[in-house]
């Protein structure tokens, strides 16, 4: 396997948020370390690296305070870069967290005017998203939450959240936009606790929506791992529900601040299973990276890290395929009975009557080894590249 | 407020698992510190303390290996204690985790015979549950999970999980039992990662079930807090979905091993909001404690800790009511606009057209303080008992 | 107990960082929500609330880029406010994290010029600290760390850290300043992993320093709890080593981003034991709050939260004293044998020979209950204010 | 690189605890899944797999309740297996946690008789350890801790801990045993909070001991990672202090229950840096595995997982060496300035006077990129085996 095998192509559908490579490094403890990056520059550079698509917040392209003229100019620049490079807008989203007006949330802000403004801001960007050809619209409710118990009536907040998404889905339907919604869960940060904290909570919530068929989820590696949850399991459950509309890949080292490391950093072993779950589950949406180049990096480092996200995905995809094709792995899977789980517990035509009172050879089954350590070691050796 | 105000009554609907006070203290690092406790003794003692109900696993009442005669005898003893004390069986469940046969799961074990046996074992205990008057049947799939990536196909596992619950729900319906199911989520321990790891994941899963209307959740304080999730938020979302069928109260100190501390220990502040969420949400099921008396306790300590669970709930309920009735709190809630969140974002008859382009006074709204610290300090002072 | 009992006095030695009430709310996801607060205004307002002292970074008082004239002016304003209010500077520290030059650390930056600059910047602020009467100088090495494995040779970094502190301690000694150093540990954020991640690591490190006698620690509630560590245990160990030179009180909800909630929020139960440990351990340094008023608050909310930090400390101190004075608690402590731990294991004059082969009544000791649940319930009822 | 390159040899100094492969699978939720394993069988099987040494608790070899005759018999069997295989006892330790007598701790139990018994039990096993040639004696104080605040006076407990270790060290010295002590930290489980919760806390504590020169630490991967701490950083600090006397390698997935996965499972990326730190730091003690074969495994699976621990270490050691020898890595290290950190901040002969007022080109240094992402990507590609 040569290094060239890991060059991204359009077919890989790699995409990045404009805000990822454009992050200037502002955190709670320090100011910017890199100059602002115009959205069009981000597009051109990502194109050079082999990215296929981009995702943007409205205020990645033009500032919150932009005049109409400035807005138009920035969008024109952005569009020119897209046209020039062939990079597509796969996805778009609204910045409902940066401005002080959203400090208490957007769709679930206590203040009704803030909520109405959040809807208006989103509708306007839905128009732009549709115009630019996005097919997925992401909702990350980073400020929808609370630091203290009495400040947010959770049931009321969920009702307002639903109201907002129902209205926006209705708007999309009425406009005839070819857009699906994807909710991005996160447990905490920047709020003490955020609504819809995990993939599961978002999946449950979607069932209550008016247009639930057009709403899925966009789980992020780091967000689920901040809650000690297994991301590969999470996306597998989403696939099982038919709701994995988008993914945000990056790296995280367990429960701590949101690290947004490049994909491959953080939980390297978990990343292998993430790619395995995506490949096995037939996920065919954008392979999106939502990461932040560390503050230690200059502009060169930004592009090194962006390229590495894609490269690591390709390396892991290669490994995952080799793992699944390995005859010894197939034998181990069979020996462990992993595939027996695909066989329904009841045979065709059986009912509860057929298992009532069923008593197998309990002692033998209790003593049986599953051989999972052997199987897992095979996987690890594929990750290590020693098989 | 005198101490007597905190004496439990039947109306409080306090219940305990037989396995809680009966825990002998076996952990990974040490053997039993207390003698076995017959289920009937647990019932009698809990009754003395003021408990209203109990919850039991089949193997809390009789051993896994019990002969039919032994089983009958133990059930008769149990029933006699129930009759003598008036303690009701509110809830029952199946031990699908203790015996080696379940080391790879029950409804999602790779081995099909194990799955069939798990169904049979559950059906038999559903009969007993119905006979003893239980109205809720809990499913905690503690061994449904994996320590390594290839050992469990998550989508297949969810299909088998659904198959099992569909069959069992069908059985209950056909038998005409007045029983609802409550799934109890847990993120990990004893498995590396457990299926349906949070309240959200379980709520989402339920939507796929054949008899979803009769299935809800039984979230446990410690289980959600092991994943850094806000338990009060979790049960509020469950209430919003109409799915909070049961609760397991105890104490935990964040992400670490499953501590099962008595209710009130662990996250004391969180406990206040838990009771507030239950009261505000109109939860009227059993107030169930699923805790373990620490290994440092002898038989006396067991009953001290059990009594304290109920007492702490009553203390907190008192505080929560006082908090909500406090005029200063009401004023603070109004000043913060907390109740405005109950007002729909759109007025009656409005559509998206009415908010499109809406632009409030952004600067003023951005500068507005929400006053949540004042509100939260009032809550804390109610917790402290200094108001 | 009336509310007035919780009014702070000078004797309580409450202090705040200028940066706490001055935090403008910038985080990774959003910009400032409050206007800048001049240090002198912070001093005047804190004085009104009853604070006794303040702590400052050089760049809390004047900007990093300040000219000499601007620096002098800002210091003069600050000093005037101190003089006018009687607020003392208990503590000072250096901002070695905000400017991009420190993005890879200060004393442990790979770049030697950065390290030299960090020393120069610190020396200059040590002069100011001494001039303003500070007795403690804090070292929080928030940028001393790494996001990836090869980027920092940990042993070399510790050697440079030691070199820096040895030089600075020598400087203080030579200048005759009456200043002690206090290292503030933190496990992560803003770096992926920070050097000296816990109170223990810092205590160990101090033993290697040239002037170890003048160096202690300044542990922060939230920083230890981000690593799931028990803060009360941590400060007790520091007291045992004679090294608790300063404390940073605030609130945190376990492993997640650094929340810096007001003291009393977060782990309310833990806060009780923190105050108990301070009182019992005879800590008599500043009772310092290092918190951040949430972004939801305006200027009023800032002062509400600052006042609440002090008030909560006083409430808890009151409770702790009542707990320790309660005859039932004393009886419970005696019954549990807690005080027996103060009795040496060997009697005076005994050696290992006296315990060799010692065999107590193992069965009786194994069966003995410690009664800790009863004891802990008494503590909880003091926290609740129901005793 | 052929698979044979990963066959363990005596020079690799691999060792296992008898209790690791001997774990029967008892946890809080279920009973044994494997039959007891006599210590001598463990020795023989480990020898076959290529292990060099073993570590044992007294009660791994003979039961707590063993008569003198039974004890002698079991020790003779164990010794025979050692002699027959050439496996050495590198390390020994005392079981001070399994029996109910230790439920409140051993050296820090409230009960003085328990403490005296713990010392006696340890002394007796020190004799056996010395007799069997162990050079390191491990102290894991798993039951030294508390679930609630008032139950343990931490300062008194540390004094008793010190008293115990001082006595035992004195005993070793007087007996002329060639044994060093290694304290194994752990943050929690089985106690709510354990004394000396991290490598740092233990290192600090050691400085207070009478024979501190003969006491170091034995940090375990999982124990540090349960507290979100970077294990490679922890052992590097221990090496810097000259105190890394022993290591316990295994796998863990962040803050949750103590998983004791085989080495290589869990944090795979972290494991690379662990081996790098050991190799770079010149650690030459036993490479010890303290893991638990999952309950899903039968006897075959036990040995598969044990062999994999060693194999994974060898694979990673190979990768680490290749990484450090790679010219591109050397160039990247130089470009990033990583090695500049080994250059003292002051030149020979310089004092604080030489850096006072030092002002570098701040803008340039602030803008400089460190290139750590490039460096880390090289490391990751070595881990992946694609370089």
């Amino acid at each position: 396997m040569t290094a060239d095998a890991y060059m991204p192509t359009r077919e890989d559908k790699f995409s990045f948020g404009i805000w990822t490579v454009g992050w200037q490094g502002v955190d709670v403890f320090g100011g910017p370390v890199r100059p602002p990056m115009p959205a069009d520059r981000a597009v051109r550079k990502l194109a050079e690296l082999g990215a296929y698509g981009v995702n943007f917040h409205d205020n990645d392209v033009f500032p919150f305070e932009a005049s109409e003229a400035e807005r138009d100019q920035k969008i024109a620049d952005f569009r020119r870069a897209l046209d020039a490079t062939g990079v597509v807008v796969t996805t778009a989203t609204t910045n409902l967290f940066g401005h002080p007006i959203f400090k208490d949330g957007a769709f679930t802000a206590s203040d009704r005017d803030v909520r109405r403004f959040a809807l208006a801001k989103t509708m306007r960007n839905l128009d732009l998203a549709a115009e630019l050809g996005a097919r997925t619209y992401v909702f990350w409710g980073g400020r929808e939450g609370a630091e203290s118990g009495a400040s947010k009536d959770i049931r009321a907040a969920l009702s307002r959240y639903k109201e907002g998404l129902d209205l926006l889905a209705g708007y999309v339907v009425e406009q005839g936009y070819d857009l699906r919604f994807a909710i991005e869960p996160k447990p905490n940060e920047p709020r003490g606790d955020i609504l819809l904290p995990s993939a599961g909570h978002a999946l449950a919530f979607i069932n209550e929506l008016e247009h639930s068929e057009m709403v899925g989820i966009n789980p992020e590696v780091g967000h689920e791992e901040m809650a000690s949850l297994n991301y590969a399991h999470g996306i597998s459950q989403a696939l099982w529900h038919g709701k994995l509309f988008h993914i945000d890949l990056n790296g995280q080292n367990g429960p701590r601040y949101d690290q947004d490391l490049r994909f491959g950093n953080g939980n390297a072993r978990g990343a292998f299973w993430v790619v395995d779950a995506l490949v096995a589950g037939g996920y065919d949406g954008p392979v999106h990276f939502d990461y932040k180049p560390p503050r230690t990096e200059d502009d060169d480092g930004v592009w090194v890290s962006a390229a590495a996200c894609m490269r690591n995905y390709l390396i892991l995809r290669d490994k995952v395929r080799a793992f699944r094709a390995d005859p010894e792995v197939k034998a181990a899977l069979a020996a462990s009975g992993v595939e027996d789980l695909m066989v329904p517990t009841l045979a065709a035509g059986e009912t509860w009557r057929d298992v009532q009172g069923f008593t197998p050879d309990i002692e033998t089954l209790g003593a049986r080894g599953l051989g999972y350590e052997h199987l897992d070691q095979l996987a690890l050796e594929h990750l290590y590249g020693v098989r």
Side-chain angles (χ1 to χ4, degrees), chain A:
Chain A
M1 180 61 57
T2 68
D4 292 338
Y6 306 131
M7 284 297 295
T9 68
R10 287 187 68 80
E11 287 63 44
D12 297 320
K13 293 197 186 168
F14 289 128
S15 68
F16 286 83
I18 295 296
W19 68 89
T20 63
V21 293
W23 186 55
Q24 291 187 254
V26 177
D27 66 24
V28 176
F29 304 96
V33 295
R34 290 184 291 262
M37 186 181 299
D40 58 314
R41 176 161 187 256
V43 169
R44 287 175 214 274
K45 292 290 296 185
L46 288 168
E48 281 172 32
L49 298 177
Y52 151 87
V54 291
N55 182 357
F56 73 96
H57 299 94
D58 45 1
N59 302 138
D60 296 337
V61 177
F62 50 87
F64 183 93
E65 309 78 3
S67 65
E68 287 303 298
E70 188 184 359
R71 184 178 184 276
D72 291 347
Q73 180 57 50
K74 298 286 190 183
I75 292 171
D77 293 346
F78 183 46
R79 188 194 288 271
R80 223 174 350 257
L82 293 168
D83 291 345
T85 57
V87 166
V88 303
V89 168
T90 61
T91 317
T93 184
T94 331
N95 185 325
L96 297 172
F97 47 87
H99 192 279
I101 197 172
F102 300 124
K103 62 191 167 191
D104 183 42
F107 302 143
T108 69
S110 293
D111 192 291
R112 193 164 165 262
D113 278 352
V114 173
R115 286 182 258 140
R116 290 169 77 91
F117 175 60
L119 292 172
K121 190 171 193 283
T122 303
M123 276 191 276
R124 186 156 197 208
N125 205 48
L126 281 165
D127 298 340
L128 179 58
E131 193 186 319
L132 294 176
R135 305 286 296 274
T136 308
Y137 203 87
V138 164
F139 291 84
W140 173 64
R143 298 277 181 206
E144 319 284 6
E147 285 75 40
S148 53
S151 63
K152 202 60 67 177
D153 180 308
I154 299 303
R155 287 173 297 138
L158 291 171
S159 291
R160 293 294 80 70
Y161 219 151
K162 169 177 157 53
E163 184 188 6
L165 290 179
D166 285 349
L167 177 145
L168 294 167
Y171 176 73
V172 163
V173 169
E174 286 193 44
Q175 302 299 320
Y177 294 156
D178 185 15
L179 269 174
R180 298 196 300 178
F181 289 178
I183 297 176
E184 179 175 335
K186 191 174 183 185
N188 57 70
E189 195 194 4
R191 302 306 302 272
D193 290 292
I194 298 178
L195 293 170
L196 309 181
S198 80
H201 293 78
L203 288 167
F205 173 74
I206 289 167
N207 279 293
E208 309 292 336
L209 298 181
E210 217 170 284
H211 297 274
S212 63
E213 73 293 345
M214 64 176 274
V215 187
I217 64 168
N218 174 41
E220 178 175 314
V221 173
H223 295 179
E224 303 297 311
E225 293 188 354
M226 287 163 71
S228 300
L229 298 171
N230 184 313
Y231 182 75
H233 286 201
I235 58 177
S236 295
Q237 182 169 348
L239 285 163
W240 186 74
H241 288 282
K243 288 296 189 188
L244 190 66
F245 283 12
H246 203 267
I247 50 168
D248 272 10
L249 300 183
N250 58 19
Q252 176 76 14
N253 289 301
R256 63 185 62 185
Y257 75 100
D258 185 13
Q259 297 195 274
D260 281 342
L261 300 167
R262 77 184 192 284
F263 183 62
N265 197 346
N267 181 0
R269 183 188 193 75
F272 178 91
W273 296 113
V274 167
V275 178
D276 182 63
L278 292 171
V279 170
Y283 173 78
D284 68 352
V287 175
H288 188 70
F289 301 103
D290 188 359
Y291 86 110
K292 290 191 172 70
R295 284 177 103 249
T296 51
E297 304 305 306
D298 60 12
D299 191 65
D300 283 351
V302 167
W303 307 115
V304 164
S305 61
C309 285
M310 296 186 281
R311 181 169 165 82
N312 292 340
Y313 188 90
L314 294 174
I315 291 170
L316 288 167
R317 193 178 64 190
D318 211 58
K319 289 181 180 300
V320 160
R321 287 176 178 160
F323 170 71
R324 292 291 172 187
D326 181 340
E328 202 173 334
V329 169
K330 290 181 180 180
L333 285 165
S336 288
V338 170
E339 287 147 356
D340 298 348
L341 194 56
M342 287 157 210
V343 181
T345 306
L346 294 195
E350 283 190 326
T351 72
W352 58 260
R353 282 173 190 83
D354 297 283
V355 290
Q356 198 175 31
F358 176 74
T359 310
D361 178 346
I362 286 170
E363 200 171 336
T364 300
L365 285 174
R368 186 191 164 192
L370 277 301
Y372 292 156
E373 285 293 281
H374 171 55
L375 180 58
D376 189 53
Q377 181 63 18
L378 292 173
L380 184 56
E381 296 191 12
H382 275 280
L383 178 65
Y384 286 154
V386 296
R387 287 187 65 85

